């Protein structure tokens, strides 16, 4: 089923004027009325009908909605929320979210990308409230923890639930792959604040923390010696060729990471400030308290020629730019067709 409704109610004063000559032509000699009184009469006569019609059509639309996307207001500093006083009668973001979800009984697909007020309790409520969910995107929701990961894994094991958590869960977890840990560290560094540096540091292995820690020392080292990690605009990740050698230990991973401070992917361009790194990760054992978790053991500089193609472009997969910011908690671009489940 595919349908959409666009309800627009506009009052244009120039089209609501009552002309005295029309009244006279019918034999009534009604005098001209003030424009404010004319509007008030029309509002009393038609307002309730229009409001009832709009409410009915909106309810019908909500009953058919299957796809729902929430958007963010701006790319403000990550985890640096701005306190915005709510106007009288308006719902707070969490209440507005619950209200919107509750009005859509046919909902199967939800995208909450970048909504930083989404937490574990909210996701648990949504999955319980909407048992027919088939697709959910929680990417860049920084308040989520491993509790949500466990919930999603349990739900997908018992139903056909597709989920995505890119840039979420900023704490060690066996559910995160080596590349996901690396990406999360890049996203955390991109926050360019104390909270982001702390989240990046939590993925450092115990042996790494002994060398680079404690956290204040680590933060000072990044700010003074590796500022490109805080300001990157483009990032690329590629497996180091050594990982393809026979007998390579599967509990170790080395990635070539390239960071650029502008949008150019040609490192030969004079306007581009680029840096390359060897990013080494290891699976931790039970003795350190992080059994089965990928954590970063070391990061070292690499030569740019290692990450360049012959034509000067960069090797590897491009890292998605995080959309950090405050959520609007407003649904938009809604239709009634499920997402392509092949994706």
């Amino acid at each position: 089923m595919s349908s959409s409704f666009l309800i627009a109610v506009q009052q244009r004063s120039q089209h609501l004027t009552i002309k005295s000559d029309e009244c006279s032509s019918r034999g009534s000699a009604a005098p001209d009325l003030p424009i404010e009184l004319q509007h008030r009469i029309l509002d009393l006569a038609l307002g309730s009908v229009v409001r009832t019609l709009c409410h009915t059509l909106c309810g019908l639309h909500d009953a058919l909605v299957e796809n729902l996307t929430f958007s963010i207001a701006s790319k403000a500093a990550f985890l640096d929320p701005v306190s915005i006083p709510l106007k009288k009668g308006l719902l707070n973001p969490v209440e507005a979210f619950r209200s919107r979800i509750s009005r859509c009984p046919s909902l199967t697909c939800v995208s909450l990308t970048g909504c930083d007020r989404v937490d574990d309790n909210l996701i648990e409520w949504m999955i319980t409230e909407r048992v027919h969910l088939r697709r959910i995107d929680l990417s860049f929701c920084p308040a989520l923890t491993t509790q949500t990961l466990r919930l999603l894994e349990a739900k997908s094991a018992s139903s056909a639930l597709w989920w995505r958590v890119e840039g979420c869960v900023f704490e060690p977890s066996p559910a995160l792959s080596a590349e996901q840990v690396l990406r999360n560290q890049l996203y955390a560094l991109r926050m360019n604040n104390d909270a982001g540096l702390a989240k990046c540091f939590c993925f450092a292995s115990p042996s790494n923390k002994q060398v680079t820690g404690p956290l204040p020392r680590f933060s000072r080292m990044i700010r003074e010696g590796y500022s490109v990690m805080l300001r990157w605009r483009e990032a690329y990740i590629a497996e180091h060729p050594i990982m393809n050698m026979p007998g390579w230990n599967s509990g170790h991973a080395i990635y070539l990471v390239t960071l650029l401070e502008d949008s150019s992917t040609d490192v030969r361009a004079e306007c581009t400030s680029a840096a390359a790194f060897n990013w080494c990760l290891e699976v931790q054992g039970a003795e350190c308290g992080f059994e089965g978790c990928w954590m970063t053991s070391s990061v070292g500089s690499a030569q740019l020629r290692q990450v360049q193609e012959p034509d000067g472009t960069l090797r590897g997969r491009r890292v998605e730019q995080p959309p950090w910011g405050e959520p609007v908690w407003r649904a938009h671009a809604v239709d009634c067709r499920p997402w392509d489940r092949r994706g």
Side-chain angles (χ1 to χ4, degrees):
M1 176 186 300
S2 175
S3 62
S4 60
F5 298 91
L6 178 62
I7 302 173
V9 179
Q10 297 177 332
Q11 291 183 347
R12 301 182 182 276
S13 59
Q14 62 269 30
H15 297 316
L16 299 178
T17 322
I18 301 176
K19 298 181 180 180
S20 59
D21 56 350
E22 292 181 356
C23 297
S24 301
S25 64
R26 300 189 188 95
S28 60
D32 288 342
L33 297 176
I35 188 66
E36 294 83 3
L37 182 57
Q38 296 177 29
H39 289 176
R40 181 59 179 162
I41 292 173
L42 289 174
D43 180 64
L44 290 174
L46 301 177
S48 60
V49 176
V50 173
R51 284 191 292 270
T52 300
L53 177 61
C54 288
H55 181 75
T56 302
L57 292 178
C58 286
L60 178 60
H61 172 252
D62 289 340
L64 296 175
V65 166
E66 292 182 351
N67 294 358
L68 197 56
T69 299
F70 288 80
S71 63
I72 58 175
S74 65
K75 294 186 177 180
F78 176 61
L79 284 184
D80 186 18
V82 180
S83 178
I84 302 177
L86 294 174
K87 294 183 180 179
K88 184 177 180 180
L90 292 181
L91 297 176
N92 66 43
V94 175
E95 291 174 345
F97 172 82
R98 289 176 180 263
S99 174
R100 192 70 179 91
I101 294 294
S102 299
R103 297 199 308 269
C104 302
S106 301
L107 194 63
T108 60
C109 306
V110 178
S111 174
L112 294 167
T113 299
C115 295
D116 55 8
R117 296 189 187 182
V118 173
D119 58 15
D120 298 325
N121 294 331
L122 206 57
I123 299 305
E124 183 178 5
W125 171 85
M126 182 176 64
I127 291 179
T128 304
E129 181 77 10
R130 289 290 168 259
V131 296
H132 301 298
L133 275 178
R134 292 294 176 265
R135 192 176 179 104
I136 179 171
D137 192 343
L138 303 174
S139 299
F140 306 110
C141 295
L144 299 181
T145 69
T146 53
Q147 176 182 334
T148 292
L149 269 183
R150 291 192 295 266
L151 178 64
L152 293 172
E153 288 175 338
K155 180 69 174 179
S156 59
S158 60
S159 63
L161 176 65
W162 179 96
W163 46 275
R164 181 172 180 260
V165 288
E166 177 79 5
C168 296
V169 189
F170 288 92
E171 58 182 331
S173 169
L176 297 175
S177 67
E179 185 169 337
Q180 285 176 317
V181 169
L182 168 53
R183 287 174 179 267
N184 281 0
Q185 285 192 290
L186 291 177
Y187 294 140
L189 289 167
R190 183 63 181 80
M191 301 170 196
N192 197 5
N193 58 24
D194 292 338
L197 287 165
K199 289 181 178 294
C200 177
F201 188 64
C202 80
F203 284 113
S205 67
S207 61
N208 189 355
K209 288 179 179 177
Q210 291 179 359
V211 176
T212 60
L215 177 59
R217 180 172 180 269
F218 171 80
S219 300
R220 185 170 60 254
M221 176 186 69
I222 295 296
R223 288 193 171 103
E224 294 177 0
Y226 302 94
S227 60
V228 65
M229 293 184 177
L230 305 174
R231 300 194 303 265
W232 61 268
R233 292 297 183 270
E234 298 282 344
Y236 293 83
I237 297 175
E239 288 87 358
H240 196 287
I242 196 174
M243 293 178 62
N244 298 321
M245 294 180 61
W248 176 256
N249 187 343
S250 61
H252 294 74
I254 303 179
Y255 293 92
L256 290 170
V257 178
T258 312
L259 303 177
L260 292 81
E261 291 193 59
D262 60 32
S263 59
S264 173
T265 59
D266 187 346
V267 297
R268 297 173 302 182
E270 294 181 0
C271 62
T272 301
S273 177
F277 302 93
N278 288 312
W279 216 285
C280 305
L281 301 98
E282 296 180 2
V283 175
Q284 303 302 301
E287 65 280 358
C288 67
F290 297 101
E291 183 177 8
C293 298
W294 283 97
M295 304 183 78
T296 297
S297 56
S298 65
V299 176
S301 298
Q303 296 182 355
L304 286 176
R305 61 180 177 81
Q306 293 180 266
V307 298
Q308 285 181 265
E309 299 289 357
D311 61 356
T313 56
L314 298 174
R315 295 172 181 169
R317 295 172 293 279
R318 184 175 181 271
V319 177
E320 187 175 349
Q321 182 72 257
W324 307 131
E326 284 292 304
V328 175
W329 299 87
R330 178 180 63 245
H332 69 93
V334 179
D335 61 38
C336 300
R337 291 172 294 179
W339 294 348
D340 185 356
R341 292 189 174 89
R342 298 171 298 178

